[in-house]
Amino acid sequence: MIPSIVHAPRALRRARLALAAVVLASAALLAPSGAAAQGAGGDPTLAQTLFEEGRRLMEAKSYAQACPKLAESQRLRPGTGTLLNLALCNEGLGKTATAWGQFKEALFASKKEGNAAREAFAQEHIDALEPRLSKIQLNAENTPGLLVRVDGGDIPAAALGTPIPIDPGAHEVEATASGYTVWSTTVQVGESADLKTIAIPKLLPVAPTSKTAGPQVPPAGGAVSGRSGGGLQTAGFVIGGAGAAVLGVGAVFGILAAGQASDAEKDEALCPEKLCTPEGRKEINAAETKALVSTIGVGVGVAALAAGAVLVLTSGPSRAEGASAAGARQGSPARVHARIVPLIGPEGGGVGVLGAF
């Protein structure tokens, strides 16, 4: 029984009041309140088991293992006593903001229940925690539909610009809005009375993406599509370019052949009096081979250039539109048919273009 403190000096009266609050609160913390245990729908046996195990671990200062058990007990059978123990556990774990919020909740519940001992116990810890609270302030530019999250939890728009108590440690801040890019950052909050201010910039609009085109359907009347004409035009440029390259090679071989034959005929050791020795004959034969390669290269190059020019000219939009109109008038589709045909002969070679235009 607590002795009367009515006539005691002020210092002694405060000491005895504090002692009474601790004793009464400790006795009340041993289990969830009976009213809460009867009114909730959880498993009372499991809730009590988790509560007792959490208390045992907390007394051993194993807060990391104790807090989840007390939290689950509170979820199964909510009670002011369990909530106060959970707040004590989070305070021991260093989660000052979480503990402060739970002590606040327990304070209101104790006032409602008329439990002065628990009320005093909760208020004492609230007063001790408040000067140590670290906070985060989120300042955001005006983005339509802005949604800000901290560690995955939504922050109401009304809370932006206001310092919010937060547990020490690293926290992920994310800002999103429909039609805008996502912005995020990580902030490290100090253990005691730290204030971190985060400036969230105005989000950038998402760049529009082109939709995938569906299958191309030829228009009525059998008109030649622009895609088909573009393909023929590309083929014409490729064939023409290859022809120009082959034509250049043929010209080089022609120059080499002419020079080699002339040198052999002028060399008295190889072809005295225009009668060539076997060595001279070899030089003449080599020159003739180069000449044949030159003839074939020039022929193929010229033919490829011509074929490329034909394809380019027949694939233009004006030609396609004219063919479309003619086909529509005659009731049949207008099409361009072309084939590249190699031509090889005893004196040279080339390519030809066969078809209807």
Side-chain angles (χ1 to χ4, degrees):
M1 180 176 177
I2 301 173
S4 173
I5 58 174
V6 175
H7 303 289
R10 181 176 298 179
L12 181 59
R13 183 164 64 250
R14 288 180 178 177
R16 289 180 176 178
L17 180 60
L19 178 61
V22 171
V23 171
L24 291 174
S26 299
L29 296 181
L30 294 178
S33 64
Q38 293 173 4
D43 184 345
T45 302
L46 180 57
Q48 184 66 29
T49 301
L50 291 172
F51 176 84
E52 293 175 356
E53 179 65 10
R55 282 285 305 172
R56 184 188 68 79
L57 290 168
M58 191 166 62
E59 289 173 359
K61 300 188 182 303
S62 299
Y63 300 111
Q65 290 77 33
C67 293
K69 296 183 184 298
L70 293 170
E72 181 62 14
S73 177
Q74 175 68 6
R75 188 189 70 82
L76 291 172
R77 287 290 184 178
T80 309
T82 307
L83 182 59
L84 281 168
N85 276 275
L86 181 57
L88 281 173
C89 187
N90 281 311
E91 183 180 8
L93 198 58
K95 293 185 175 183
T96 51
T98 299
W100 176 78
Q102 290 168 343
F103 278 123
K104 281 278 191 180
E105 185 181 350
L107 175 66
F108 298 142
S110 299
K111 286 181 177 180
K112 186 177 180 180
E113 295 167 0
N115 193 323
R118 286 178 174 175
E119 182 181 343
F121 183 82
Q123 187 64 59
E124 179 185 354
H125 283 267
I126 290 171
D127 294 340
L129 284 171
E130 280 184 346
R132 298 165 47 200
L133 288 178
S134 292
K135 299 178 181 180
I136 185 173
Q137 181 172 327
L138 305 170
N139 299 328
E141 294 286 342
N142 185 22
T143 301
L146 180 67
L147 177 62
V148 179
R149 296 187 179 93
V150 176
D151 298 329
D154 293 347
I155 302 298
L160 299 179
T162 301
I164 306 169
I166 193 168
D167 290 331
H171 298 276
E172 183 75 15
V173 180
E174 180 183 88
T176 62
S178 179
Y180 292 85
T181 57
V182 177
W183 179 90
S184 65
T185 188
T186 300
V187 58
Q188 185 72 33
V189 179
E191 292 185 1
S192 180
D194 188 18
L195 174 61
K196 288 293 190 296
T197 301
I198 307 299
I200 301 173
K202 188 172 183 178
L203 303 185
L204 299 176
V206 177
T209 56
S210 58
K211 296 181 180 179
T212 304
Q216 299 295 321
V217 179
V224 180
S225 68
R227 176 178 292 184
S228 174
L232 288 176
Q233 190 176 51
T234 301
F237 282 120
V238 172
I239 294 173
V246 174
L247 182 61
V249 173
V252 171
F253 269 88
I255 294 171
L256 293 176
Q260 188 174 10
S262 177
D263 291 342
E265 290 177 354
K266 292 178 180 179
D267 193 337
E268 292 295 333
L270 295 177
C271 296
E273 298 181 359
K274 305 298 181 181
L275 298 176
C276 296
T277 63
E279 293 297 326
R281 190 68 256 172
K282 287 182 181 179
E283 289 294 318
I284 296 297
N285 289 341
E288 290 177 350
T289 301
K290 289 184 175 64
L292 178 60
V293 172
S294 173
T295 302
I296 295 174
V298 171
V300 171
V302 171
L305 281 172
V310 170
L311 290 176
V312 171
L313 292 175
T314 57
S315 63
S318 60
R319 181 61 181 263
E321 293 170 1
S324 174
R329 288 195 300 268
Q330 297 174 6
S332 61
R335 298 180 181 176
V336 177
H337 300 278
R339 283 190 303 151
I340 307 300
V341 181
L343 302 176
I344 304 295
E347 297 298 328
V351 294
V353 180
L354 300 179
F357 304 92

